[in-house]
Amino acid sequence: MMKKKIIILLVAFGLGLTIYFLAHLQIQLSQKPIKVGILHSLTGTMAISEKSVVDATLLAIEEINADGGILGRKIQPIIVDGKSNWKTFAKQAQNLITQEKVVTVFGCWTSASRKTVKPIFEKYNHLLIYPVQYEGLEESPNIVYTGAAPNQQIIPAVKWSFDNLGNRFFLVGSDYIFPRTANAIIKDQVTALEGKILGEEYILLGSNKVENVIAKILATQPDVILNTINGDSNIAFFKALRKAGIRSDIIPTISFSIAEEELKSLPTKHVVGDYAVWNYFQNINNLKNSEFIQHFKKKYGENRVTSDPIEAGYFGVYLWAQAVKDAGTDEVNMIRENIKDQSFKAPGGVVYIDANNQHTWKTVRVGKIQSDGQFKIVWNSGKPIRPVPYPISRSKAEWEIFINNLYQGWNQRWANPNTD
């Protein structure tokens, strides 16, 4: 009998010890931060745009942490520099996933950087949240696209230009995947509208050699310039336009990668009267946006501005946080599954993740640049537009052939090799 009691006591003690250690482990896990990666260019030609998206991402993380975090845990950001170099982006993405053990990465701006890291996220079945408008022609179960698809920026911009500015277009862009594809989409649409493309020119990403482009614009005299130049090359481009006497009231430019943040680096006199097409502008008048601007300026300074990629970087964190909360865990596959169908009242209006393609329903807006460096909204779609990654002007198979031909033509890269 005594032996039996001792056994029972030992079993009870062991069970109690197990329960204690499991409870202790649970407490440790509940206190462990949720690690996320932030992968953007802090140096190089794209730093002019990407640094502020990092700031917006950190602001959202700070707000969520101040409100108690997620699942009782704080978010811990790991920030790395892509250095405006695609190979560096790939290396840093792999390091964040395999070494830092982050559960999600927020990052990339150029499509060349996103295309370069996409296979890595798919290899490890991980998750990237991408905050910038892009050329479409892509769907990945490992990427959530919070920027605009082509039918939420490029296509409405052409139609608005055709209706309000003219039907003779000159296309200029940086020489990588986004501008090349955007211009293919534009050419299809202009053809359908029976307009004219008078010229199509590209400059290397980061280059300031724009003289030949300006000469061709002067020679062709288009009604509108459609600009897909990215990064600080825009400074040289607009300076050269004005020096050549090409003013916005004579030949307006509509840009797809210039927002409030980029305007701070451009002399105001060089851009007033030109246009941009985005889903968000700082001048949107609603309470949520006013609070967002106030918080952003309080953290980073009164001279700072907000913009579309900044807003997308910000609300992307909140959509992700909702997914983690709904999943009840920070396990990557569960986050990916629960982020589908998430919606959020963002500064620019309600946004919603389409479960079919993991792109975001967004309102489209056209803005005209004012002398104070802000945009006057001159047109909007009135409601969020369903994202369509593959424009209907060609079949999905035809678009994939087009993309592959660019990739192979650039020696299996997503930008002109001379850019690297």
Side-chain angles (χ1 to χ4, degrees), residues 75-329:
I75 308 168
Q76 179 186 346
I78 309 296
I79 307 168
V80 293
D81 184 6
K83 298 183 179 180
S84 304
N85 179 276
W86 328 135
K87 294 178 182 178
T88 303
F89 267 89
K91 180 179 179 181
Q92 294 284 30
Q94 178 142 336
N95 183 66
L96 285 169
I97 295 169
T98 62
Q99 301 302 314
E100 296 291 349
K101 305 295 184 182
V102 301
V103 301
T104 300
V105 176
F106 299 90
C108 297
W109 180 294
T110 67
S111 287
S113 64
R114 188 196 68 258
K115 287 284 192 183
T116 304
V117 304
K118 177 175 173 282
I120 295 169
F121 283 89
E122 292 174 344
K123 174 183 177 181
Y124 292 101
N125 202 26
H126 216 269
L127 179 61
L128 170 69
I129 298 183
Y130 177 63
V132 185
Q133 45 69 242
Y134 84 120
E135 72 284 351
L137 314 192
E138 180 179 297
E139 293 178 57
S140 172
N142 300 94
I143 302 176
V144 172
Y145 306 80
T146 59
N151 71 307
Q152 298 167 313
Q153 189 201 33
I154 298 168
I155 292 171
V158 174
K159 182 62 168 64
W160 183 86
S161 301
F162 199 93
D163 292 342
N164 294 276
L165 301 176
N167 63 359
R168 302 164 66 253
F169 299 90
F170 193 100
L171 314 181
V172 58
S174 301
D175 204 2
Y176 74 101
I177 185 68
F178 165 64
R180 289 279 184 176
T181 308
N183 286 339
I185 294 168
I186 289 168
K187 287 186 288 186
D188 284 358
Q189 188 178 6
V190 170
T191 298
L193 293 170
E194 298 184 352
K196 294 181 179 180
I197 301 293
L198 303 184
E200 178 181 359
E201 295 294 325
Y202 297 91
I203 62 174
L204 295 178
L205 192 63
S207 173
N208 60 5
K209 297 178 180 178
V210 298
E211 294 78 11
N212 289 340
V213 175
I214 302 301
K216 291 178 180 179
I217 293 172
L218 279 171
T220 54
Q221 291 293 303
D223 297 324
V224 188
I225 301 166
L226 297 180
N227 171 32
T228 49
I229 296 173
N230 260 263
D232 53 15
S233 298
N234 275 299
I235 299 172
F237 176 69
F238 279 97
K239 182 179 179 180
L241 275 179
R242 301 307 179 242
K243 185 177 180 181
I246 303 172
R247 305 194 313 268
S248 60
D249 60 334
I250 299 173
I251 305 175
T253 297
I254 296 185
S255 296
F256 297 91
S257 295
I258 291 179
E260 290 87 343
E261 181 66 22
E262 289 73 27
L263 288 181
K264 290 176 63 181
S265 301
L266 292 164
T268 305
K269 64 181 180 180
H270 290 166
V271 291
V272 168
D274 284 318
Y275 300 87
V277 182
W278 293 100
N279 308 113
Y280 168 92
F281 289 107
Q282 182 173 306
N283 271 344
I284 291 173
N285 184 21
N286 65 51
L287 180 59
K288 183 75 174 181
N289 189 40
S290 297
E291 292 174 349
F292 171 55
I293 295 167
Q294 180 184 0
H295 293 172
F296 193 82
K297 287 178 176 288
K298 182 178 180 180
K299 182 171 177 62
Y300 298 115
E302 282 298 317
N303 66 324
R304 295 294 299 275
V305 295
T306 58
S307 70
D308 184 287
I310 288 173
E311 189 234 11
Y314 175 81
F315 75 66
V317 179
Y318 274 95
L319 288 168
W320 168 84
Q322 291 174 183
V324 176
K325 183 179 179 181
D326 288 351
T329 175

